[in-house]
Amino acid sequence: MIPAAFEYFRPHSIDEAFAYLQQYGGDARVLAGGQSLIPAMRFRLARPGVLVDINAVRDVNYVRANGKVLAIGAIARDSDIEHAPWIGERRWSLIHDVSRVVADPVVRQMGTPVGSLCHNDPAGDWTATALAARAEIVVRGKPGPRTVAIDDFLIDSFATAVGEGEMALEVRFPTPDDRTAGSYQKIERKVGDFATAAAAVQVSLNGDNTIRSAGVALSAAGPCAVRVEEAEHLLAGKKPSAELIRAAADAASRRSSPQADLRGSIEYKKNLAGVLVARGLRQALTRLGVQA
Amino acid sequence: MSTQQKPVGSLGVAMKRKEDPRFIQGKGHYVDDILLPGMLYLALVRSTYPHAEIISINVSEAMKVPGVKAVITGKDLDSAGLGWLPTFHGLDKQMVLALGKVLFQYQEVAAVFAETRGAAADGAEAVQVEYKPLPVVADPFTAKADKVILRSDRERKTNHIYHWEVGDKDATARALAASPKRISQRIWFQRCHPAPLEPCGCVALFDTMGRLQFHVTSQAPHVYRTALAIVTGIPEDKIHVISPDLGGGFGNKVPVYPGYVCAIVGALKLGRPVKWIETRTENLTSTGFARDYHMDVEIGATPDGRVTALHVATAADHGAFDAAADPSKYPAGMFGVVTGSYDFPVAHAEVDAYFTNKAPGGIAYRCSFRVTEASFAIERAMDILADELKMDSVDLRRKNLIRKEQFPYPSPLGFTYDSGDYHKTLDTALEKIGYKELLKEQAAKRARGELMGIGVSTFTEVVGAGPSKHFDILGIKMFDSAEIRIHPTGAGIVRTGTKSQGQGHETTWAQIVAEELGLDPQNIMVEEGDTDTAPYGLGTYASRSTPVAGAAIAMAARRIREKARKVAAHLLEVGESDVEWKDYQFQVKGVPAKSVTMKQVAFAAYTNMAQNEPGLEATYYYDPPNMTFPNGTYVAVIDVDRETGEVKVRRFLAVDDCGTIINPLVVEGQIHGGLTEGFAIAFMQEIQYDNEGNNLNTNFTDYLVPTSLETPHWETAKTTTPSPHHPIGAKGVGESPNVGSPAAFVNAVIDALSPLGVRHIDMPVTRDKVWRAIREAEARKTQS
Amino acid sequence: MKVNVKVNGISYEREVEPRTLLAYFLRESCGLTGTHVGCDTSNCGCCVVVMDGDRAVKSCTMFAAQADGHEILTVEGLAGGGQLHPLQQGFWDQHGLQCGYCTPGMLLTSYALLKHNPNPNEAEIREGLAGNLCRCTGYQNIVKAVQQAAETLRQPVAAK
């Protein structure tokens, strides 16, 4: 399984990387973690004429959690998040959960959240997480960097708002307040498999324990990860209860539009979407000390 | 002579493995580690179509790729008389490279030889093949109809390969018809693949003496040598097969593959060493698969649970060529062991095999020659019978297990089981798992609607192929051999015809020699896999090594002991008849203080042997008098998540009886590994082809190997009934866990779902299938 | 293109194609065949090496070019001063290997795991090894091997 030949560049700055991408356009691919790109190249499903290796661009190697945002640079690894000193904080529980189930523990030491978002596999984990957490991606384009909301960033399977000659620089998660918790629920046949179904949930409570807002998103439920708007609207402003959770779960089942494949039938996966949203909501609420 | 420490025995000792130091330091020597000057790389072009005529193969673009040295096709091989390869079963042949048509997706079509791996891959990509698709035969039932004949090269124009049967057809039919209770079930053992982590490969070169040096991943190096001599016409003394360290085998490295022949042809034609290492995709899509038996099982019984008759009719999917590596008289292997551990008064088993547009194979994945299929069928069917009779499946088993007094037991399908105490093994298992408490817990859970299952499998398997009267591969009888030489300082070397792929022979064979001769196993070197030095053997698969080669080693060692006794008598200054071997040394009868150790005798064999033959070595070729019959009771305890169909294995206990154990650490390791494979087969593994013949599980993203996280914790225990006919009473154990465990898992799942009226689910028992079975059962309930 | 990779403390400067995978660079350009290739899809972990001291990476899913200027630890570099690494000793003592093909990858993944978590419980070990496949052992003795090694590594080093 040897890739087709390519030209290789290793820039040391964002500007240098961008210049290569602009020069080679659609024939160039960014190499960050490479954990999705290189396997595709080994099967010659991807045959870029040029690889721009950004692993030496120190300017995008950061994980910054300040009061307002969690900013993850383009070459920060999944494992950097998995082992971050703040990852045990309740407000980050959605990110905590997902950072433990992406691919496998070795792949996570090279793979990157930004890369995963740009790859946009229908069953990717970071995409559903970004939707539920209402993240934004900073994209470097010709006129300069721009910020793209996650809902606008994910366009179709393996297609995002990053155009030819452009590159993503960072993903930003708004820092949740201390009445927020989340949960990532993933069913996979084994570690390393893509999700059979997955749900990302983030819930913020009001002072009286009613739900102020909720983010609910599904992976492996269509060409891209999807936000379950119906569930989010259902939950907003309500007091948590078993019926409310069931209603949100049913909305998720309805919204889920999976393909039948070796992992399961459409019916099974739609069922799982509901089950996982329910479990995610219950876990998030439990983390917030609320029984439903 | 200096005072020696009194020698101690080595059998049953959990000694650390002697081969480990090189592996833990990354100094194992696998085929892909071989790098030779001037070596070329071989890449195979493979068919994208499952069934198609080849209209043309254009290699001109490939030849232009920098580094490509040659491209050969089936036509080139055929004109050299190498277009076809006999399969190990002997009744069929397979194309080396496609000739005129392709018969399965990923079949080998052309061979590209290049300077580098990359150039070979580039060259393979540049070969242009034009195909004309033909209708696909995707399953044995479609094949049976003979609407599309796959093998126009064969004399009989039919997809039916053979009909095999054993037992009493009429008596069984009558007994079934007369039985007050009957069950009938189609049980499919799905196609799966052994997938050792090291794929298959070879390095071929012709040396300066014109000999073929063939380094290859082979579980049976001598058979390869003979087969290659026959196929290529190269005299057998000019072929040197070397199987180095093998990264797992599990039956995958028994057949001779087209890549091997192409590598040899390339080495000859181009005068340079050629390396062929397959990719994982090639391994999963073209090398010997396992199972794919559709079995219709019928059992008759009395109302109180005494079995009266067994009939099994099987449709076997062999793929495009009959490359099932069975002994020649056993096209369905040891399937006749399908009466299992039970005393059936009468039985009849039959197998009809068919060609389909799939990869060839069938005998692999620790199957003991189809014992895995047979055992799964009977263990599942007994549970279904128990369900029909509304009996506890353990009680049903207990009632029908062959009793201790009945051994040696002649089964109605022609086997003579050597020894066993099945009731003791069963009781041991039930006690250790806490069966009574588990039943109570299950009852309480069922009352709350929770799905908990207990699955039992009481299996008998048959290994140690095999007695020359019955067994041969391509005519070569299935003996095995050992050559032992003891050096002057009491160290030694043993060479056998087997080939470990992880089973620990470098340790266990040394332990046998050490036990028989009172020597230190640390100083007995073991060598396997080099056909220039090892005595002829049939290799390692089907758990035959300990039963056959292990016996040969013990017998060779006893020959050495007999020679040594003569020298000992000389040293002890007594007559030979006054010397006895006791407490691991030679003693004068009645005067134990007058003794010499084997170490002392070894030295004397070279320095002071008197009139005796100098040196101390012996060879033994062992023709086993019978097969051996390891057996066991496995119990699985599982819980099912209704919402997701997830099955959690809470506990798994394996009680194995493999007779005498050479090294408990090694045996336990083999069981852990086999149980993990059985677990994978039960829950997640399948090589699926769709209706158009497309292979859907072509690499590890879709052909699933469980990780450390999914794999349950294994509890093991043993009972020991030695084999009465084996020199050290050993039976072999490597495949027992694959034989016994899938049924334990599936029986547990069905047990969990039985309150819902679910009777059977085909493997792999995926979450989707479980969830659907629950849903359908619930729907039935609301309808009634 | 030229790459310079420090492997087990020794610098290897070699001419490679950009598409040369790190696994093959180590095996063929450096002659270190202890790192193995077992699959096409980055699932099996036989190829795992450790980069820059504590990062386990699948060397079949990385180009040699990416390792230029970095340090790589392979299985051949684990033993030191004539002594086996406690992980190697653990695998041997606990019968944590049979065919040996997955063993180098298991050793290196465990090496990185213990750097991050010197006292892992069984669940953490099983999770940490879930990127490495084994067909022979069923993992149970591998877990014991890592546990033994972890305990050894936690002992205070005897004064020399």
Side-chain angles (χ1 to χ4, degrees), chain B residues 80-99:
Chain B
L82 290 168
W84 295 82
L85 196 53
T87 58
F88 271 148
H89 182 54
L91 297 181
D92 197 13
K93 53 183 185 173
Q94 74 178 92
M95 296 173 193
V96 177
L97 293 173
L99 280 163

Side-chain angles (χ1 to χ4, degrees), chain B residues 747-763:
Chain B
N747 285 347
V749 175
I750 302 300
D751 184 51
L753 302 182
S754 62
L756 303 173
V758 176
R759 186 162 259 205
H760 184 65
I761 298 176
D762 271 330
M763 297 190 292

Side-chain angles (χ1 to χ4, degrees), chain B residues 19 218-222 246 249-251 254 366 368-369 461-466 478-483 494-510 512 526-529 536-555 620-624 626-628 630 658 660 662 666-667 670 725-736:
Chain B
E19 48 266 76
S218 170
Q219 298 176 227
H222 291 92
L246 298 183
F250 315 118
V254 169
R366 279 161 121 157
S368 299
F369 301 122
E461 86 128 328
V462 51
V463 299
M478 295 185 75
F479 54 85
D480 225 282
S481 58
E483 181 193 292
V494 52
R495 301 181 160 110
T496 75
T498 49
K499 178 64 212 157
S500 176
Q501 318 107 45
Q503 293 91 331
H505 294 172
E506 284 173 47
T507 307
T508 53
W509 292 170
I512 298 178
V526 175
E527 195 185 88
E528 290 179 325
Y536 203 103
L538 276 282
T540 294
Y541 44 82
S543 295
R544 66 183 298 277
S545 300
T546 295
V548 191
I553 294 167
M555 300 306 284
Y620 199 101
Y621 280 72
Y622 185 78
D623 183 358
N626 190 7
M627 307 287 276
T628 61
C658 60
T660 303
I662 302 167
V666 168
V667 167
Q670 288 286 295
H725 66 78
H726 188 280
I728 62 171
K731 290 189 175 185
V733 76
E735 296 177 321
S736 290

Side-chain angles (χ1 to χ4, degrees), chain A residues 28-288:
Chain A
R29 293 290 297 267
V30 168
L31 173 64
Q35 302 301 290
S36 299
L37 178 60
I38 296 179
M41 289 176 69
R42 290 182 68 195
F43 277 92
R44 303 197 178 196
L45 295 171
R47 308 174 68 110
V50 171
L51 271 195
V52 180
D53 178 355
I54 63 168
N55 287 286
V57 180
R58 276 197 252 260
D59 289 341
V60 288
N61 188 8
Y62 57 83
V63 176
R64 294 185 200 123
N66 63 38
K68 295 194 76 182
V69 292
L70 164 63
I72 302 174
I75 58 167
R77 314 289 168 186
D78 294 323
S79 56
D80 293 336
I81 309 299
E82 193 182 352
H83 297 123
W86 40 261
I87 198 63
E89 290 173 30
R90 182 173 69 187
R91 73 183 83 243
W92 296 118
S93 41
L94 166 59
I95 305 240
H96 165 278
D97 289 355
V98 72
S99 70
R100 267 149 187 75
V101 296
V102 172
D104 70 53
V106 180
V107 168
R108 289 201 290 275
Q109 296 185 49
M110 275 300 275
T112 64
V114 171
S116 179
L117 290 166
C118 292
H119 183 62
N120 197 13
D121 189 295
D125 298 306
W126 282 110
T127 45
T129 299
L131 282 169
R134 295 188 155 71
E136 298 175 317
I137 291 95
V138 178
V139 179
R140 175 83 156 92
K142 195 123 190 269
R146 65 183 188 281
T147 305
V148 183
I150 185 65
D151 295 70
D152 301 322
F153 184 81
L154 305 173
I155 292 174
D156 200 350
S157 299
F158 308 107
T160 67
V162 179
E164 247 180 51
E166 299 189 322
M167 67 181 273
L169 296 178
E170 101 181 4
V171 58
R172 285 181 190 153
F173 291 87
T175 301
D177 65 21
D178 57 13
R179 296 240 69 212
T180 299
S183 172
Y184 192 74
Q185 298 282 329
K186 179 177 183 179
I187 297 278
E188 50 183 353
R189 296 175 298 176
K190 52 162 275 195
V191 170
D193 191 19
F194 281 108
T196 301
V201 163
Q202 189 158 282
V203 175
S204 300
L205 297 181
N206 289 315
D208 62 357
N209 281 349
T210 54
I211 295 171
R212 178 158 50 83
S213 68
V216 180
L218 302 172
S219 186
C224 283
V226 291
R227 180 187 300 291
V228 188
E229 281 123 344
E230 194 193 334
E232 293 179 345
H233 292 146
L234 265 170
L235 291 164
K238 305 281 200 324
K239 184 167 177 238
S241 70
E243 295 74 43
L244 183 67
I245 289 174
R246 194 164 16 250
D250 289 344
S253 278
R254 283 192 295 273
R255 183 70 180 86
S256 165
S257 168
Q259 303 255 50
D261 63 14
L262 296 175
R263 294 179 188 85
S265 61
I266 291 174
E267 197 194 11
Y268 174 66
K269 292 184 181 187
K270 282 172 78 78
N271 155 76
L272 278 186
V275 168
L276 296 182
V277 163
R279 289 184 181 184
L281 285 170
R282 279 197 294 269
Q283 185 174 46
L285 289 166
T286 300
R287 282 169 162 161
L288 288 164

Side-chain angles (χ1 to χ4, degrees), chain B residues 91-154:
Chain B
L91 297 181
D92 197 13
K93 53 183 185 173
Q94 74 178 92
M95 296 173 193
V96 177
L97 293 173
L99 280 163
K101 64 191 281 201
V102 289
L103 285 159
F104 65 95
Q105 197 180 49
Y106 291 93
Q107 182 180 353
E108 302 81 2
V109 171
V112 176
F113 300 87
E115 300 278 4
T116 64
R117 244 182 253 264
D122 295 340
E125 201 182 29
V127 172
Q128 292 154 336
V129 188
E130 209 190 321
Y131 296 99
K132 178 167 157 227
L134 296 168
V136 171
V137 177
D139 67 82
F141 307 103
T142 307
K144 186 173 173 176
D146 269 347
K147 290 220 171 68
V148 175
I149 304 299
L150 295 180
R151 296 287 304 279
S152 47
D153 62 282
R154 283 169 66 93

Side-chain angles (χ1 to χ4, degrees), chain B residues 22-67:
Chain B
R22 66 180 183 275
F23 295 124
I24 57 182
Q25 296 182 80
K27 299 205 189 313
H29 187 63
Y30 303 92
V31 167
D32 197 18
D33 298 345
I34 298 171
L35 282 175
L36 297 171
M39 192 171 76
L40 295 172
Y41 292 83
L42 163 59
L44 292 169
V45 178
R46 293 176 178 275
S47 168
T48 43
Y49 289 92
H51 193 205
E53 257 177 63
I54 297 179
I55 306 299
S56 68
I57 304 179
N58 186 340
V59 309
S60 54
E61 287 307 305
M63 288 302 296
K64 290 187 196 144
V65 171

Side-chain angles (χ1 to χ4, degrees), chain A residues 1-4 43-44 47 187-191 193 262-265 267-268 271-272 275 279 282, chain B residues 118 121-122 125 279 281 641 643-644 646 688 696-697 699 701-702 704-705 709-710 767-768 771 775:
Chain A
M1 288 274 136
I2 310 289
F43 277 92
R44 303 197 178 196
R47 308 174 68 110
I187 297 278
E188 50 183 353
R189 296 175 298 176
K190 52 162 275 195
V191 170
D193 191 19
L262 296 175
R263 294 179 188 85
S265 61
E267 197 194 11
Y268 174 66
N271 155 76
L272 278 186
V275 168
R279 289 184 181 184
R282 279 197 294 269
Chain B
D122 295 340
E125 201 182 29
T279 64
T281 304
D641 181 331
E643 287 186 313
T644 63
E646 236 171 312
Q688 277 178 295
L696 304 178
N697 305 76
N699 51 61
T701 51
D702 292 305
L704 304 178
V705 174
L709 201 62
E710 294 86 44
R767 291 177 180 125
D768 190 351
W771 179 78
R775 281 277 280 238

